[in-house]
Amino acid sequence: MCGRDDVSTPLKCMVFFFNFIFWCAGVLFIVVGSWAYYEKHKFTTSSSDEKSSHVEFFDLIFDLTILIVILGCIIFVIAFAGCIGALRENVCLLKFFCYALGAVLFIELVLAVLAFVFTHEIKAKVTEVFEDQLLVRYRDDDDLRNLIDWAQKTFQCCGIGSDGYRDWSSNLYFNCTDENPSMERCGVPYSCCRRPDIQEALVNTECGHGKQSLTRSEAERFIYTSGCIQEALYTAKQNLYVIGGVALGVAVIQILGIFLARSLASQI
């Protein structure tokens, strides 16, 4: 990795290894996401071709494996430019790295400001989209189901919005209509239950059956009734210092990467 005499070798090594770590992380995300996507869809039949473009669009957004691959690709490209730029002392690649990482940092700041200024509007929109797209896919996507179950158990909630546990009526299996032949009619997933386990090794998946037919005060004896967005926001407010510290740490790492790359580029 030795280069020109007027280029600092320690600085060059710092930029290279800084990006190499993130490059490896990007590769790992791509490999894990691709493998998970393959395992998830290898038994998919040709009937999936009959889905409308609208459904495919939301399938793309809410498919965790695809999101992991996309995130991995972004990290891979930016870190790869930084690695090669430092290794080959290429100013163009180093500038691309700085601009790309700066753009990511700028987008993060804009999203943070928008989330702070338009909190209620964003909460309403996210609630609407999640109610329309997440709950209805609960039985169709294993990854999504595991994520929803994790969220409901972690935040001790049930459903998405202000209706809480009754949001589950939007799901084909849990809705309360008389025409619904499902055994889970008018119920909620087991992850909504306050005591979902009969024993440690045995999960009582039927503990939520029929709970939507109860009033909120009656249901609260058996299940969590508040929506997950409300509970998640409450948890976030209780841990503002932790969240702020993590966000600040991420920003410092990005700024450090830009500073090192610009310093190296100025010496070439």
Side-chain angles (χ1 to χ4, degrees):
M1 290 184 62
C2 296
R4 293 160 40 184
D5 294 337
D6 54 345
V7 176
S8 172
T9 300
L11 177 60
K12 182 177 176 179
C13 292
M14 286 179 63
V15 175
F16 175 81
F17 286 111
F18 177 88
N19 287 281
F20 181 74
I21 294 172
F22 287 96
W23 180 81
C24 292
V27 172
L28 181 63
F29 278 23
I30 293 172
V31 171
V32 171
S34 300
W35 174 80
Y37 182 84
Y38 170 76
E39 289 293 320
K40 179 179 176 180
H41 295 281
K42 66 181 179 180
F43 297 116
T44 303
T45 62
S46 59
S47 61
S48 61
D49 298 334
E50 300 174 2
K51 294 182 179 179
S52 65
S53 59
H54 176 75
V55 173
E56 291 173 352
F57 173 73
F58 282 103
D59 283 343
L60 175 65
I61 292 178
F62 294 116
D63 193 320
L64 298 180
T65 59
I66 294 178
L67 294 180
I68 291 174
V69 172
I70 292 174
L71 177 61
C73 289
I74 294 173
I75 296 174
F76 176 89
V77 171
I78 296 177
F80 183 77
C83 279
I84 302 302
L87 186 65
R88 304 299 298 174
E89 298 180 6
N90 188 303
V91 176
C92 292
L93 287 177
L94 288 173
K95 286 185 176 180
F96 169 79
F97 169 78
C98 291
Y99 292 144
L101 196 56
V104 172
L105 180 60
F106 176 75
I107 292 172
E108 291 171 350
L109 291 174
V110 170
L111 292 177
V113 171
L114 290 177
F116 179 77
V117 175
F118 302 103
T119 303
H120 298 294
E121 291 82 355
I122 293 176
K123 177 183 176 182
K125 187 61 179 178
V126 170
T127 300
E128 178 186 350
V129 173
F130 280 12
E131 285 178 349
D132 292 342
Q133 301 300 329
L134 288 187
L135 297 188
V136 298
R137 287 174 164 77
Y138 179 78
R139 289 298 186 199
D140 303 327
D141 189 321
D142 292 339
D143 293 331
L144 189 59
R145 181 169 66 250
N146 291 334
L147 177 62
I148 293 174
D149 286 337
W150 172 84
Q152 292 189 147
K153 288 185 286 188
T154 300
F155 297 112
Q156 297 184 348
C157 57
C158 189
I160 299 293
S162 58
D163 289 336
Y165 68 110
R166 287 199 170 125
D167 287 338
W168 281 104
S169 194
S170 62
N171 184 279
L172 178 66
Y173 297 92
F174 296 110
N175 75 71
C176 293
T177 58
D178 295 333
E179 295 79 13
N180 183 10
S182 171
M183 293 291 294
E184 297 177 307
R185 175 182 174 275
C186 224
V188 295
Y190 82 95
S191 53
C192 288
C193 297
R194 293 184 179 275
R195 296 182 180 273
D197 298 335
I198 299 175
Q199 299 175 355
E200 289 187 5
L202 181 62
V203 177
N204 179 15
T205 57
E206 299 182 359
C207 61
H209 285 195
K211 297 303 184 289
Q212 286 189 61
S213 60
L214 303 178
T215 64
R216 185 176 291 267
S217 59
E218 292 174 334
E220 284 178 345
R221 296 169 50 200
F222 309 101
I223 63 173
Y224 304 114
T225 57
S226 299
C228 285
I229 289 183
Q230 175 184 336
E231 294 299 323
L233 289 176
Y234 175 77
T235 301
K237 290 179 181 178
Q238 297 295 109
N239 297 275
L240 277 180
Y241 290 113
V242 175
I243 296 174
V246 172
L248 181 61
V250 172
V252 168
I253 291 174
Q254 292 173 318
I255 294 173
L256 176 62
I258 295 173
F259 173 76
L260 292 175
R262 287 185 63 86
S263 299
L264 179 61
S266 66
Q267 296 182 10
I268 298 175

